[in-house]
Coordinates of all heavy atoms in Angstrom, one line a residue:
I1061 N 90.4 35.1 -20.7 CA 89.4 35.5 -19.7 C 89.0 36.9 -19.9 O 87.9 37.3 -19.5 CB 90.0 35.2 -18.3 CG1 89.0 35.4 -17.3 CG2 91.2 36.1 -18.0 CD1 89.1 34.6 -16.1
I1062 N 89.9 37.8 -20.4 CA 89.5 39.2 -20.6 C 88.3 39.3 -21.5 O 87.4 40.1 -21.4 CB 90.7 40.0 -21.1 CG1 91.9 39.9 -20.2 CG2 90.3 41.4 -21.5 CD1 91.6 40.8 -18.9
S1063 N 88.4 38.5 -22.7 CA 87.4 38.5 -23.7 C 86.1 38.1 -23.1 O 84.9 38.6 -23.5 CB 87.6 37.7 -24.9 OG 87.8 36.4 -24.5
V1064 N 86.0 37.1 -22.2 CA 84.8 36.7 -21.5 C 84.2 37.9 -20.6 O 83.0 38.1 -20.7 CB 85.0 35.5 -20.6 CG1 83.8 35.1 -19.8 CG2 85.4 34.3 -21.5
L1065 N 85.0 38.5 -19.9 CA 84.6 39.7 -19.0 C 84.1 40.8 -20.0 O 83.0 41.4 -19.7 CB 85.8 40.1 -18.2 CG 86.2 39.1 -17.2 CD1 87.5 39.8 -16.4 CD2 85.2 38.9 -16.1
V1066 N 84.7 41.1 -21.0 CA 84.3 42.1 -21.9 C 82.9 41.7 -22.6 O 82.1 42.6 -22.6 CB 85.3 42.5 -23.0 CG1 84.8 43.4 -24.2 CG2 86.5 43.1 -22.4
G1067 N 82.8 40.5 -23.0 CA 81.5 40.0 -23.5 C 80.4 40.1 -22.6 O 79.3 40.4 -22.9
E1068 N 80.7 39.6 -21.3 CA 79.6 39.7 -20.3 C 79.2 41.1 -19.9 O 78.0 41.4 -19.8 CB 80.0 38.9 -19.1 CG 80.1 37.5 -19.2 CD 80.6 36.8 -18.0 OE1 81.0 37.5 -16.9 OE2 80.8 35.6 -18.0
R1069 N 80.1 41.9 -20.0 CA 79.9 43.4 -19.7 C 79.1 44.0 -20.9 O 78.2 44.8 -20.6 CB 81.2 44.3 -19.6 CG 81.0 45.8 -19.4 CD 82.3 46.4 -19.1 NE 82.3 47.8 -18.7 CZ 82.3 48.7 -19.5 NH1 82.5 48.6 -20.8 NH2 82.1 50.0 -19.1
A1070 N 79.4 43.6 -22.1 CA 78.6 44.1 -23.3 C 77.1 43.7 -23.1 O 76.2 44.4 -23.5 CB 79.2 43.6 -24.5
A1071 N 76.9 42.4 -22.7 CA 75.6 41.9 -22.6 C 74.8 42.7 -21.5 O 73.6 43.1 -21.7 CB 75.6 40.4 -22.3
R1072 N 75.5 42.9 -20.4 CA 74.8 43.7 -19.2 C 74.5 45.2 -19.7 O 73.4 45.7 -19.5 CB 75.6 43.7 -18.1 CG 75.7 42.3 -17.5 CD 76.5 42.3 -16.1 NE 76.8 40.8 -15.8 CZ 76.1 39.8 -15.5 NH1 74.8 40.0 -15.5 NH2 76.5 38.7 -15.2
L1073 N 75.5 45.8 -20.4 CA 75.2 47.2 -20.8 C 74.1 47.2 -22.0 O 73.3 48.1 -21.9 CB 76.4 47.9 -21.5 CG 77.5 48.1 -20.4 CD1 78.8 48.6 -21.1 CD2 77.1 49.2 -19.5
S1074 N 74.1 46.3 -22.8 CA 72.9 46.2 -23.8 C 71.6 46.0 -23.0 O 70.6 46.7 -23.4 CB 73.2 45.0 -24.6 OG 74.4 45.2 -25.4
S1075 N 71.6 45.2 -22.1 CA 70.4 45.0 -21.4 C 69.9 46.3 -20.7 O 68.7 46.5 -20.6 CB 70.6 43.9 -20.3 OG 69.4 43.6 -19.5
V1076 N 70.7 47.0 -20.1 CA 70.4 48.2 -19.4 C 69.7 49.2 -20.4 O 68.8 49.9 -20.0 CB 71.6 48.8 -18.6 CG1 71.3 50.2 -18.1 CG2 72.1 47.9 -17.5
G1077 N 70.3 49.2 -21.6 CA 69.6 50.1 -22.6 C 68.2 49.7 -22.9 O 67.4 50.5 -23.1
V1078 N 68.0 48.4 -23.0 CA 66.6 47.8 -23.3 C 65.7 48.2 -22.1 O 64.6 48.7 -22.2 CB 66.7 46.4 -23.7 CG1 65.3 45.8 -23.7 CG2 67.6 46.1 -24.9
V1079 N 66.2 47.9 -21.0 CA 65.4 48.1 -19.8 C 65.1 49.6 -19.6 O 63.9 50.0 -19.4 CB 66.1 47.6 -18.4 CG1 65.4 48.2 -17.1 CG2 66.3 46.1 -18.4
A1080 N 66.0 50.6 -19.8 CA 65.7 52.0 -19.8 C 64.6 52.4 -20.8 O 63.7 53.2 -20.4 CB 67.0 52.7 -20.0
T1081 N 64.7 51.8 -22.0 CA 63.7 52.2 -23.0 C 62.3 51.6 -22.6 O 61.3 52.3 -22.8 CB 64.2 51.6 -24.4 OG1 65.4 52.1 -24.7 CG2 63.2 51.8 -25.5
L1082 N 62.3 50.4 -22.1 CA 61.0 49.8 -21.9 C 60.4 50.4 -20.5 O 59.2 50.5 -20.5 CB 61.2 48.2 -21.6 CG 61.5 47.5 -22.9 CD1 61.8 46.0 -22.6 CD2 60.4 47.6 -24.0
T1083 N 61.2 50.7 -19.6 CA 60.6 51.3 -18.4 C 60.1 52.7 -18.5 O 59.3 53.3 -17.9 CB 61.5 51.2 -17.1 OG1 62.8 51.8 -17.6 CG2 61.7 49.8 -16.8
K1084 N 60.7 53.4 -19.6 CA 60.2 54.7 -20.0 C 58.8 54.8 -20.5 O 58.2 55.7 -20.5 CB 61.3 55.4 -21.0 CG 61.1 56.8 -21.1 CD 61.5 57.6 -20.0 CE 61.5 59.1 -20.3 NZ 61.7 59.9 -19.2
R1085 N 58.5 53.6 -21.1 CA 57.2 53.4 -21.8 C 56.5 52.2 -21.2 O 56.4 51.1 -21.7 CB 57.3 53.2 -23.3 CG 58.1 54.2 -24.2 CD 57.2 55.3 -24.8 NE 56.0 54.9 -25.4 CZ 55.9 54.5 -26.6 NH1 56.9 54.5 -27.4 NH2 54.7 54.1 -27.0
P1086 N 56.0 52.4 -19.9 CA 55.5 51.2 -19.2 C 54.3 50.4 -19.9 O 54.1 49.2 -19.7 CB 55.0 51.8 -17.8 CG 55.1 53.2 -17.9 CD 56.0 53.6 -19.1
G1087 N 53.6 51.1 -20.7 CA 52.5 50.5 -21.5 C 52.9 49.4 -22.4 O 52.3 48.4 -22.7
L1088 N 54.2 49.5 -22.9 CA 54.7 48.4 -23.7 C 54.8 47.1 -23.0 O 54.8 46.0 -23.5 CB 56.2 48.9 -24.2 CG 56.1 50.1 -25.1 CD1 57.6 50.4 -25.5 CD2 55.5 49.8 -26.4
L1089 N 55.0 47.1 -21.7 CA 55.2 46.0 -20.9 C 54.0 45.2 -20.5 O 53.9 44.2 -19.8 CB 56.1 46.1 -19.6 CG 57.6 46.6 -20.0 CD1 58.3 47.0 -18.7 CD2 58.3 45.4 -20.7
A1090 N 52.8 45.9 -20.7 CA 51.5 45.3 -20.3 C 51.0 44.2 -21.3 O 50.2 43.5 -21.0 CB 50.6 46.4 -20.3
K1091 N 51.7 44.1 -22.4 CA 51.3 43.1 -23.4 C 52.6 42.4 -23.9 O 53.7 43.0 -23.9 CB 50.5 43.7 -24.5 CG 51.2 44.8 -25.3 CD 50.2 45.6 -26.2 CE 51.0 46.7 -26.7 NZ 50.1 47.5 -27.6
P1092 N 52.6 41.3 -24.6 CA 53.7 40.6 -25.2 C 54.5 41.7 -26.2 O 53.8 42.3 -27.0 CB 53.2 39.5 -25.9 CG 52.0 39.2 -25.2 CD 51.4 40.5 -24.9
I1093 N 55.8 41.7 -26.0 CA 56.7 42.5 -26.9 C 57.9 41.8 -27.4 O 58.4 41.0 -26.5 CB 57.0 44.0 -26.2 CG1 57.8 44.8 -27.1 CG2 57.8 43.6 -24.9 CD1 57.9 46.2 -26.5
T1094 N 58.2 42.0 -28.6 CA 59.5 41.3 -29.0 C 60.5 42.4 -29.2 O 60.3 43.4 -29.9 CB 59.2 40.6 -30.4 OG1 58.2 39.7 -30.1 CG2 60.5 40.0 -30.9
V1095 N 61.7 42.2 -28.7 CA 62.8 43.1 -28.9 C 63.8 42.5 -29.8 O 64.4 41.4 -29.5 CB 63.5 43.4 -27.5 CG1 64.7 44.3 -27.6 CG2 62.5 44.0 -26.5
G1096 N 64.0 43.2 -30.9 CA 65.0 42.6 -32.0 C 66.4 43.2 -31.7 O 66.5 44.4 -31.5
I1097 N 67.3 42.4 -31.6 CA 68.7 42.8 -31.4 C 69.6 42.5 -32.5 O 69.6 41.2 -32.9 CB 69.2 42.3 -30.0 CG1 68.3 42.7 -28.9 CG2 70.6 42.8 -29.7 CD1 68.6 42.1 -27.6
D1098 N 70.4 43.5 -33.1 CA 71.2 43.2 -34.2 C 72.7 43.2 -33.6 O 73.0 44.0 -32.7 CB 71.0 44.3 -35.1 CG 71.9 44.0 -36.5 OD1 72.3 42.9 -36.7 OD2 72.0 45.0 -37.3
G1099 N 73.5 42.4 -34.2 CA 74.9 42.5 -33.8 C 75.5 41.1 -33.6 O 74.8 40.1 -33.3
S1100 N 76.8 41.0 -34.0 CA 77.5 39.8 -33.9 C 77.8 39.4 -32.5 O 77.9 38.1 -32.3 CB 78.9 39.9 -34.7 OG 79.6 40.9 -34.2
M1101 N 77.9 40.2 -31.6 CA 77.9 39.8 -30.2 C 76.8 39.0 -29.7 O 76.8 37.8 -29.1 CB 78.2 41.0 -29.2 CG 79.5 41.6 -29.3 SD 80.9 40.5 -28.7 CE 80.5 40.4 -27.0
Y1102 N 75.6 39.5 -30.0 CA 74.3 38.8 -29.7 C 74.2 37.4 -30.4 O 73.8 36.4 -29.9 CB 73.1 39.7 -30.0 CG 71.7 39.0 -29.5 CD1 71.3 39.1 -28.3 CD2 71.0 38.4 -30.5 CE1 70.1 38.6 -27.9 CE2 69.8 37.8 -30.0 CZ 69.4 37.9 -28.8 OH 68.1 37.3 -28.4
E1103 N 74.7 37.5 -31.7 CA 74.6 36.2 -32.5 C 75.6 35.2 -32.2 O 75.3 34.0 -32.2 CB 74.7 36.7 -34.0 CG 74.5 35.6 -34.9 CD 74.4 36.1 -36.3 OE1 74.8 37.2 -36.7 OE2 74.2 35.1 -37.2
H1104 N 76.8 35.6 -31.8 CA 77.9 34.6 -31.7 C 78.5 34.4 -30.3 O 79.1 33.4 -30.1 CB 79.0 35.0 -32.7 CG 78.5 35.0 -34.0 ND1 78.2 33.9 -34.8 CD2 78.5 36.0 -34.9 CE1 77.9 34.2 -36.0 NE2 78.0 35.5 -36.2
F1105 N 78.4 35.5 -29.5 CA 79.1 35.3 -28.2 C 78.2 34.4 -27.3 O 77.1 34.5 -27.1 CB 79.2 36.7 -27.5 CG 79.9 36.6 -26.2 CD1 81.3 36.7 -26.2 CD2 79.3 36.5 -25.0 CE1 82.1 36.6 -25.1 CE2 80.0 36.5 -23.8 CZ 81.5 36.6 -23.8
P1106 N 78.9 33.2 -26.7 CA 78.2 32.3 -25.8 C 77.6 32.9 -24.8 O 78.0 33.7 -24.0 CB 79.4 31.3 -25.4 CG 80.5 31.6 -26.4 CD 80.3 33.0 -26.9
N1107 N 76.3 32.6 -24.5 CA 75.5 33.1 -23.4 C 75.1 34.5 -23.4 O 74.6 35.0 -22.4 CB 76.1 32.6 -22.1 CG 76.3 31.1 -21.9 OD1 75.5 30.3 -22.3 ND2 77.5 30.8 -21.4
F1108 N 75.3 35.2 -24.5 CA 75.0 36.7 -24.5 C 73.5 36.9 -24.3 O 73.1 37.8 -23.4 CB 75.4 37.3 -25.8 CG 75.4 38.7 -25.9 CD1 76.5 39.5 -25.7 CD2 74.3 39.4 -26.2 CE1 76.5 40.9 -25.7 CE2 74.2 40.8 -26.2 CZ 75.3 41.6 -25.9
E1109 N 72.7 36.1 -24.9 CA 71.2 36.2 -24.9 C 70.8 35.9 -23.3 O 70.0 36.6 -22.8 CB 70.5 35.3 -25.8 CG 69.0 35.5 -25.7 CD 68.3 34.6 -26.7 OE1 68.9 33.8 -27.3 OE2 67.1 34.7 -26.6
S1110 N 71.5 34.9 -22.8 CA 71.0 34.6 -21.4 C 71.5 35.6 -20.4 O 70.7 35.9 -19.5 CB 71.4 33.2 -21.0 OG 72.9 33.1 -21.0
I1111 N 72.7 36.3 -20.5 CA 73.2 37.2 -19.6 C 72.3 38.5 -19.8 O 71.9 39.1 -18.8 CB 74.6 37.5 -19.9 CG1 75.5 36.4 -19.6 CG2 75.1 38.7 -19.2 CD1 76.9 36.4 -20.2
L1112 N 72.0 38.8 -21.0 CA 71.2 40.0 -21.3 C 69.7 39.8 -20.7 O 69.3 40.7 -20.0 CB 71.0 40.2 -22.9 CG 70.2 41.4 -23.3 CD1 70.9 42.0 -24.6 CD2 68.9 41.0 -23.6
S1113 N 69.2 38.6 -20.9 CA 68.0 38.4 -20.3 C 67.9 38.4 -18.8 O 67.0 39.0 -18.1 CB 67.4 37.0 -20.8 OG 66.1 36.7 -20.4
E1114 N 68.9 37.8 -18.1 CA 69.0 37.8 -16.7 C 69.1 39.2 -16.1 O 68.6 39.4 -15.2 CB 70.2 36.8 -16.2 CG 70.0 35.3 -16.5 CD 71.3 34.5 -16.3 OE1 72.3 35.2 -15.8 OE2 71.3 33.4 -16.7
T1115 N 69.9 39.9 -16.8 CA 70.1 41.3 -16.3 C 68.8 42.1 -16.4 O 68.5 42.8 -15.4 CB 71.2 42.0 -17.1 OG1 72.4 41.2 -17.0 CG2 71.6 43.4 -16.7
A1116 N 68.1 42.0 -17.5 CA 66.8 42.7 -17.6 C 65.9 42.2 -16.6 O 65.1 43.0 -16.1 CB 66.3 42.5 -19.1
A1117 N 65.8 40.9 -16.4 CA 64.9 40.3 -15.4 C 65.1 40.9 -14.0 O 64.3 41.0 -13.1 CB 65.0 38.9 -15.3
H1118 N 66.4 41.3 -13.6 CA 66.8 41.9 -12.4 C 66.0 43.3 -12.1 O 65.7 43.6 -11.1 CB 68.2 42.1 -12.4 CG 68.8 42.6 -11.0 ND1 68.8 42.0 -9.8 CD2 69.1 44.0 -10.7 CE1 69.2 42.7 -8.9 NE2 69.5 43.9 -9.4
F1119 N 65.8 44.0 -13.3 CA 65.2 45.3 -13.3 C 63.7 45.4 -13.5 O 63.0 46.4 -13.2 CB 65.9 46.3 -14.2 CG 67.4 46.5 -13.7 CD1 68.4 45.8 -14.4 CD2 67.6 47.2 -12.7 CE1 69.7 46.0 -14.0 CE2 69.1 47.6 -12.3 CZ 70.0 46.9 -13.0
I1120 N 63.2 44.4 -14.1 CA 61.8 44.5 -14.6 C 61.0 43.4 -13.7 O 61.4 42.2 -13.6 CB 61.6 44.1 -16.1 CG1 62.3 45.2 -16.8 CG2 60.1 44.1 -16.4 CD1 62.4 45.1 -18.3
P1121 N 59.9 43.8 -13.2 CA 59.1 42.9 -12.4 C 58.7 41.5 -13.2 O 58.5 41.7 -14.4 CB 57.7 43.6 -12.0 CG 58.1 45.1 -12.1 CD 59.3 45.0 -13.2
E1122 N 58.6 40.5 -12.6 CA 58.5 39.2 -13.2 C 57.2 39.1 -14.1 O 57.2 38.6 -15.3 CB 58.5 38.0 -12.3 CG 58.4 36.6 -12.8 CD 58.3 35.5 -11.9 OE1 58.6 35.8 -10.6 OE2 58.1 34.4 -12.3
A1123 N 56.1 39.7 -13.6 CA 54.9 39.7 -14.3 C 54.9 40.4 -15.6 O 54.3 40.1 -16.6 CB 53.7 40.3 -13.5
Q1124 N 55.8 41.4 -15.7 CA 56.1 42.1 -17.0 C 57.1 41.6 -17.8 O 57.1 41.5 -19.0 CB 56.4 43.6 -16.6 CG 55.3 44.4 -16.0 CD 55.7 45.8 -15.6 OE1 56.8 46.0 -15.1 NE2 54.9 46.8 -15.7
F1125 N 58.1 41.0 -17.1 CA 59.3 40.5 -17.8 C 58.9 39.2 -18.7 O 59.4 39.0 -19.7 CB 60.4 40.0 -16.9 CG 61.6 39.5 -17.6 CD1 62.4 40.3 -18.2 CD2 61.8 38.0 -17.6 CE1 63.4 39.8 -18.9 CE2 62.9 37.5 -18.3 CZ 63.8 38.4 -19.0
K1126 N 57.9 38.4 -18.2 CA 57.4 37.3 -19.0 C 56.8 37.6 -20.3 O 56.7 36.9 -21.3 CB 56.5 36.4 -18.1 CG 55.1 37.1 -18.0 CD 54.3 36.1 -17.1 CE 52.9 36.9 -16.9 NZ 52.0 36.1 -16.1
N1127 N 56.5 39.0 -20.5 CA 55.9 39.4 -21.9 C 57.1 39.8 -22.8 O 56.8 40.0 -24.0 CB 55.1 40.6 -21.7 CG 53.9 40.3 -20.9 OD1 53.3 39.3 -21.0 ND2 53.3 41.4 -20.1
I1128 N 58.3 39.7 -22.4 CA 59.5 40.2 -23.3 C 60.1 39.0 -23.9 O 60.4 37.9 -23.3 CB 60.5 41.0 -22.5 CG1 59.9 42.2 -21.8 CG2 61.7 41.4 -23.5 CD1 60.8 42.8 -20.8
K1129 N 60.2 39.1 -25.3 CA 61.0 38.1 -26.1 C 62.1 38.7 -26.8 O 61.9 39.8 -27.5 CB 60.0 37.4 -27.0 CG 60.6 36.4 -27.9 CD 59.6 35.8 -28.9 CE 60.2 34.8 -29.8 NZ 59.2 34.3 -30.7
F1130 N 63.3 38.3 -26.6 CA 64.5 38.7 -27.4 C 64.7 37.9 -28.6 O 64.7 36.7 -28.4 CB 65.7 38.7 -26.5 CG 65.6 39.7 -25.3 CD1 65.4 39.1 -24.0 CD2 65.8 41.0 -25.4 CE1 65.3 40.0 -22.9 CE2 65.7 41.8 -24.3 CZ 65.4 41.3 -23.0
I1131 N 65.0 38.5 -29.8 CA 65.3 37.8 -30.9 C 66.5 38.5 -31.7 O 66.7 39.6 -31.5 CB 64.1 37.6 -31.8 CG1 63.6 39.0 -32.5 CG2 62.9 36.8 -31.2 CD1 62.7 38.9 -33.6
L1132 N 67.0 37.7 -32.5 CA 68.1 38.2 -33.4 C 67.5 39.0 -34.6 O 66.6 38.4 -35.3 CB 69.0 37.1 -34.0 CG 70.1 37.5 -34.9 CD1 71.1 38.5 -34.3 CD2 70.8 36.3 -35.4
A1133 N 67.8 40.2 -34.9 CA 67.3 40.9 -35.9 C 68.4 41.1 -36.9 O 69.2 42.0 -36.8 CB 66.7 42.3 -35.4
K1134 N 68.4 40.3 -37.9 CA 69.5 40.5 -39.0 C 69.3 41.8 -39.7 O 68.1 42.2 -40.2 CB 69.4 39.3 -40.0 CG 69.8 38.0 -39.4 CD 71.3 38.0 -39.4 CE 71.9 36.6 -39.3 NZ 73.2 36.6 -39.4
D1135 N 70.4 42.5 -39.9 CA 70.4 43.7 -40.6 C 69.5 44.8 -40.1 O 68.8 45.5 -40.6 CB 70.1 43.5 -42.1 CG 70.4 44.9 -43.0 OD1 71.3 45.5 -42.6 OD2 69.8 45.0 -43.9
G1136 N 69.3 44.8 -38.7 CA 68.5 45.8 -38.0 C 68.7 47.2 -38.2 O 67.8 47.9 -38.4
S1137 N 70.0 47.5 -38.4 CA 70.3 49.0 -38.6 C 69.8 49.4 -40.0 O 69.4 50.5 -40.2 CB 71.8 49.2 -38.4 OG 72.6 48.3 -39.3
G1138 N 69.9 48.6 -41.0 CA 69.5 49.0 -42.3 C 68.1 49.0 -42.3 O 67.4 50.0 -42.9
V1139 N 67.4 48.2 -41.7 CA 65.8 48.2 -41.6 C 65.4 49.5 -40.9 O 64.3 50.2 -41.2 CB 65.2 46.9 -41.0 CG1 63.7 47.0 -40.7 CG2 65.6 45.7 -41.9
G1140 N 66.1 49.7 -39.7 CA 65.7 50.9 -38.9 C 65.9 52.1 -39.6 O 65.0 53.1 -39.6
A1141 N 66.9 52.3 -40.5 CA 67.2 53.4 -41.2 C 66.0 53.6 -42.4 O 65.5 54.7 -42.7 CB 68.5 53.4 -42.0
A1142 N 65.6 52.5 -43.0 CA 64.5 52.6 -43.9 C 63.3 53.0 -43.3 O 62.5 53.8 -43.9 CB 64.4 51.1 -44.6
I1143 N 62.9 52.6 -42.1 CA 61.7 52.9 -41.4 C 61.7 54.4 -41.1 O 60.7 55.1 -41.3 CB 61.4 52.1 -40.2 CG1 61.1 50.6 -40.7 CG2 60.4 52.6 -39.3 CD1 61.1 49.5 -39.5
T1144 N 62.9 54.8 -40.6 CA 63.0 56.3 -40.2 C 62.9 57.1 -41.5 O 62.2 58.2 -41.4 CB 64.4 56.5 -39.6 OG1 64.6 55.7 -38.4 CG2 64.6 57.9 -39.1
A1145 N 63.5 56.7 -42.5 CA 63.4 57.6 -43.8 C 61.9 57.5 -44.3 O 61.4 58.6 -44.6 CB 64.2 57.0 -44.9
M1146 N 61.2 56.5 -44.1 CA 59.8 56.4 -44.5 C 59.0 57.4 -43.7 O 58.1 58.1 -44.2 CB 59.2 55.0 -44.4 CG 57.8 54.9 -44.7 SD 57.1 53.3 -44.4 CE 57.0 53.3 -42.6
L1147 N 59.1 57.3 -42.3 CA 58.4 58.2 -41.5 C 58.7 59.6 -41.7 O 57.8 60.5 -41.7 CB 58.7 57.8 -40.0 CG 58.1 56.4 -39.6 CD1 58.6 56.0 -38.2 CD2 56.6 56.4 -39.6
A1148 N 59.9 59.9 -41.9 CA 60.4 61.3 -42.1 C 59.7 61.8 -43.5 O 59.3 63.0 -43.6 CB 61.9 61.4 -42.3
S1149 N 59.6 61.0 -44.4 CA 59.0 61.4 -45.8 C 57.4 61.6 -45.6 O 56.9 62.5 -46.3 CB 59.3 60.5 -46.9 OG 58.6 59.2 -46.6
K1150 N 56.8 60.9 -44.7 CA 55.5 61.0 -44.5 C 55.1 62.3 -43.7 O 54.0 62.9 -43.8 CB 54.9 59.8 -43.7 CG 54.7 58.7 -44.6 CD 54.0 57.5 -43.9 CE 53.8 56.3 -44.9 NZ 53.0 55.4 -44.2
T1151 N 56.0 62.9 -42.8 CA 55.8 64.0 -42.0 C 56.0 65.3 -42.9 O 55.6 66.4 -42.5 CB 56.6 64.0 -40.9 OG1 58.0 64.1 -41.2 CG2 56.2 62.9 -39.9
N1152 N 56.8 65.2 -44.0 CA 57.1 66.4 -44.8 C 55.9 66.6 -45.8 O 55.3 66.0 -46.3 CB 58.4 66.3 -45.5 CG 59.5 66.3 -44.6 OD1 59.3 67.0 -43.4 ND2 60.6 65.8 -44.8

């Protein structure tokens, strides 16, 4: 039961991070947006996606929430690092 509580807490905390990011940029929620999430918890923990989604829906109005799609992003950290390096090299 402890592992279930920890997993649910992880989903809720992950959701709050996504919500904070999206509400900081309200223009993003005006059109469809896909949020890629990397990690074995998202991929393997039962109901992680639904808990994350339900928590986000609690904080984002329904009209905007319907524009959000959560997906599994395999190797997201590696891809993110590559994109960051590319952008950094273009600014120099």
